[in-house]
């Protein structure tokens, strides 16, 4: 009798790493660990971070993969774990793959997940520098280790992840070399551990770490020992419950057989609406001119009217200057796709907004019958015919122009009741709410002008 064949989690494709990079050894170790645990690939999530470590996603084609931004992989995975444990079936196993650079940037996410004892396994690929971006030092670079930013050797000691997590009451911590024969076994133990588990895997970046330090595997082990970094399973305690069980102790789940517990009914809408199908719109203007507040007000009014909505914001890294943009989707049914392929309306209130709209190509992919509303100052630069150009900034002020455009759009399309927008604006509270509420009323006075212009242009 032969043993049942274990599933192969690693896909049949070349590794994307530099020759000799330890990341490949970790990927192989993870593949063996998953096969040894006998897990269902459809119930495994790999959450990866920015950097060379994030190249691992396509190597595991049978599992779910989530690629996150710098240092945020642990936070994203923790949210997914808790959502599945408390709202779903609680069968997903989430594994975070992060480098020492990502761990440095997202250090508080790691410590918070350890403090909460979120049930996930973190594989920390520690090659002691930022490999993908040029070999800069990280908070885990040992003292004396040369990087592209510490060519004479790092002046400060490395953060000791074991001591940090010990202070966070973490349940499982191991430190291994990528070349250790038992790496797969340790990774499997971390995945199976019922709580927060982290395996710090020491390896060498062959692009920067090896040439700058003239090191090999033996030297890496000696470096760890000289730096006081013990290897092996260093923390293993089971006296803490994972966070989702603590949560359930405070907020018990509804009792009863499956199907017997009905979700609470949604509250009755406060206002009527006339929306028959999903619509998407893009609002663009300048930073600091309440573009995103206008979009949020529209969404709030939609929710008060019983609609589903999604708002996605965009702005440059300067935050306080340049463009500000919001995509909004409204629908009478749950929204399962949040993208905007062909906007039903584009609202532009400043030159900054028009530049961004042009760069995105929104005006070249409008939906049939789409409506474009723009400030009058942009009329000569608009590349589309039939746009409604109104004195939004002059009549309402730059800070209220976006909300005014929303009010005119709603008046033209008749999606929401005017009272819904007023209620949403009043909900902002404070002086901003009062200013915008008065601006909303003023904007509605522009609607007849918009209607008159459209008639002159021969459009309905």
């Amino acid at each position: 009798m032969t043993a049942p064949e274990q599933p192969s989690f690693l896909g049949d494709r070349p590794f994307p790493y530099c020759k000799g990079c330890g990341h490949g050894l970790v990927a192989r170790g993870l593949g063996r660990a998953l096969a040894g645990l006998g897990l269902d690939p459809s119930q495994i999530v790999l959450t990866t971070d920015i950097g060379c470590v994030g190249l691992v996603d396509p190597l595991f084609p049978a599992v779910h993969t989530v690629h996150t931004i710098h240092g945020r992989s642990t936070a994203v995975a923790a949210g997914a774990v808790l959502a599945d444990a408390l709202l779903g079936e609680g069968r997903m196993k989430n594994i975070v793959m992060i480098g020492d650079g990502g761990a440095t940037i997202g250090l508080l996410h790691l410590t918070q997940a350890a403090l909460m004892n979120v049930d996930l396994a973190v594989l920390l690929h520690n090659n002691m520098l930022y490999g993908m971006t040029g070999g800069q030092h990280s908070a885990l670079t040992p003292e004396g280790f040369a990087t592209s930013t510490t060519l004479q050797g790092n002046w400060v000691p490395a953060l000791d992840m074991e001591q940090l997590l010990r202070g966070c009451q973490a349940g499982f911590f191991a430190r291994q070399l990528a070349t250790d024969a038992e790496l797969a076994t340790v990774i499997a133990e971390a995945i199976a551990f019922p709580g927060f588990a982290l395996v710090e895997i020491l390896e060498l970046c062959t692009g920067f770490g090896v040439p700058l330090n003239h090191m090999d595997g033996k030297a890496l082990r000696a470096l760890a020992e000289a730096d006081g970094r013990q290897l092996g399973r260093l923390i293993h305690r089971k006296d803490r419950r994972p966070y989702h069980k603590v949560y359930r102790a405070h907020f018990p789940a509804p009792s009863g057989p499956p199907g017997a517990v009905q979700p609470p009914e949604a509250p009755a809408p406060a206002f009527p609406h006339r929306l028959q199908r999903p619509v998407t719109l893009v609002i663009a203007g300048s930073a600091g001119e309440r573009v995103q507040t206008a979009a949020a007000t529209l969404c709030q009014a939609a929710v008060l009217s019983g609609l589903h909505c999604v708002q996605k914001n965009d702005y440059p890294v300067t935050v306080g200057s340049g463009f500000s943009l919001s995509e909004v989707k409204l629908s009478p049914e749950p929204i399962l796709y949040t993208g905007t392929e062909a906007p039903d309306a584009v609202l532009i209130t400043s030159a900054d907004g028009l530049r961004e709209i042009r760069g995105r190509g929104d005006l070249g992919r409008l939906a049939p019958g789409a409506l474009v509303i723009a400030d009058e100052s942009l009329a000569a630069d608009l590349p589309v015919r039939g746009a409604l150009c109104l004195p939004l900034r002059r009549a309402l002020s730059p800070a209220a122009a976006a909300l005014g455009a929303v009010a005119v759009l709603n008046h033209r399309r008749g999606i929401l009741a005017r009272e819904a927008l007023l209620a949403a604006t009043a909900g902002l509270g404070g002086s901003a709410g009062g200013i915008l509420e008065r601006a909303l009323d003023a904007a509605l006075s522009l609607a007849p002008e918009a209607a008159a212009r459209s008639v002159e242009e021969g459009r309905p």
Side-chain angles (χ1 to χ4, degrees):
M1 181 177 179
T2 59
E5 184 177 353
Q6 293 179 328
S8 175
F9 286 84
L10 274 173
D12 183 16
R13 60 183 303 163
F15 277 21
Y17 312 116
C18 300
K19 184 178 181 180
C21 174
H23 287 11
L25 297 174
V26 181
R28 294 187 191 283
L30 175 60
R32 292 196 299 273
L34 293 174
L37 289 169
L39 299 175
D40 180 350
S42 68
Q43 296 177 1
I44 298 172
V45 182
L46 286 187
T47 305
T48 59
D49 215 86
I50 290 288
C52 297
V53 68
L55 299 174
V56 75
D57 295 3
L59 299 181
F60 290 87
V63 308
H64 305 281
T65 56
V66 180
H67 191 61
T68 69
I69 58 175
H70 300 80
R72 310 307 184 221
S73 51
T74 309
V76 171
V81 167
L82 296 180
D84 179 53
L86 297 173
L87 303 175
E89 298 178 345
R91 295 190 297 177
M92 305 299 289
K93 295 296 296 187
N94 209 309
I95 302 157
V96 172
M97 302 186 81
I98 189 171
D100 56 293
T104 299
I105 295 171
L107 193 60
L108 192 57
H109 299 307
L110 280 170
T111 57
Q112 187 64 28
L115 286 167
M116 294 171 66
N117 199 25
V118 179
D119 186 12
L120 58 84
V122 179
L123 305 184
L124 169 52
H125 301 53
N126 184 9
N127 59 11
M128 300 169 286
L129 47 73
Y130 288 81
M132 181 172 276
T133 57
Q136 301 90 343
H137 72 286
S138 75
L140 277 73
T141 301
E143 189 172 1
F145 194 80
T147 71
S148 64
T149 48
T150 57
L151 289 173
Q152 303 305 316
N154 190 27
W155 293 355
V156 298
L159 183 70
D160 188 334
M161 191 59 67
E162 177 198 352
Q163 297 305 321
L164 181 70
L165 294 182
R166 197 177 286 282
C168 295
Q169 312 298 315
F172 184 100
F173 174 81
R175 183 182 290 120
Q176 304 288 145
L177 299 180
T179 52
D180 283 347
E182 65 172 356
L183 177 61
T185 301
V186 174
I187 291 175
E189 290 176 7
I191 296 172
F193 183 79
F196 182 85
L198 187 145
V199 181
E200 180 184 4
I201 304 156
L202 303 181
E203 53 177 283
L204 287 171
C205 171
T206 52
F208 297 98
V210 170
L212 289 174
N213 295 275
H214 308 292
M215 292 187 69
D216 56 18
K218 291 183 179 178
L220 179 60
R221 182 183 294 275
L223 176 63
E225 292 175 350
D227 207 32
R229 304 292 193 259
Q230 294 184 10
L231 301 177
R233 302 166 184 81
L234 302 174
I235 302 176
H236 192 276
R237 48 182 288 186
K238 293 185 176 179
D239 57 330
R240 298 184 63 206
R241 292 176 295 172
Y243 184 80
H244 64 274
K245 291 191 175 181
V246 176
Y247 181 93
R248 274 289 170 247
H250 288 80
F251 301 99
S255 59
V261 180
Q262 299 296 325
E265 293 186 3
F271 303 98
H273 70 83
R274 296 172 55 189
L275 192 63
Q276 301 297 317
R277 63 172 182 82
V279 296
T280 59
L281 60 144
V282 181
I283 310 172
S286 296
E289 294 186 356
R290 293 173 173 156
V291 171
Q292 294 169 24
T293 298
T297 302
L298 175 61
C299 289
Q300 181 65 26
V303 170
L304 291 172
S305 305
L307 292 171
H308 300 267
C309 65
V310 169
Q311 176 184 353
K312 294 192 293 184
N313 298 329
D314 191 14
Y315 46 83
V317 294
T318 51
V319 181
S321 61
F323 74 91
S324 180
L325 182 145
S326 282
E327 295 180 8
V328 173
K329 178 173 281 189
L330 307 179
S331 173
E333 304 295 333
I335 299 170
L336 303 180
Y337 174 65
T338 61
T340 300
E341 295 181 345
D344 297 284
V346 175
L347 316 181
I348 315 168
T349 61
S350 74
D352 288 325
L354 179 57
R355 278 193 292 272
E356 182 61 16
I357 288 290
R358 277 177 162 166
R360 290 162 44 98
D362 289 313
L363 297 178
R365 55 189 180 94
L366 294 171
L371 180 60
V372 177
I373 299 174
D375 186 71
E376 60 182 3
S377 62
L378 308 173
D381 299 322
L382 282 174
V384 296
R385 292 174 57 84
L388 297 181
C389 296
L390 301 171
L392 297 168
R393 302 175 69 85
R394 177 167 54 86
L396 307 177
S397 83
L403 186 62
V406 167
V408 172
L409 169 70
N410 186 60
H411 182 81
R412 287 293 307 271
R413 294 297 196 231
I415 299 172
L416 304 174
R418 174 177 177 273
E419 291 75 15
L421 280 174
L422 289 171
T425 306
L428 295 173
S431 59
I435 293 170
L436 292 177
E437 187 172 343
R438 290 190 293 275
L440 187 63
D441 274 333
L444 294 177
S445 69
L446 300 177
E449 182 178 354
R453 290 189 179 203
S454 64
V455 169
E456 292 172 1
E457 294 160 355
R459 301 192 308 126

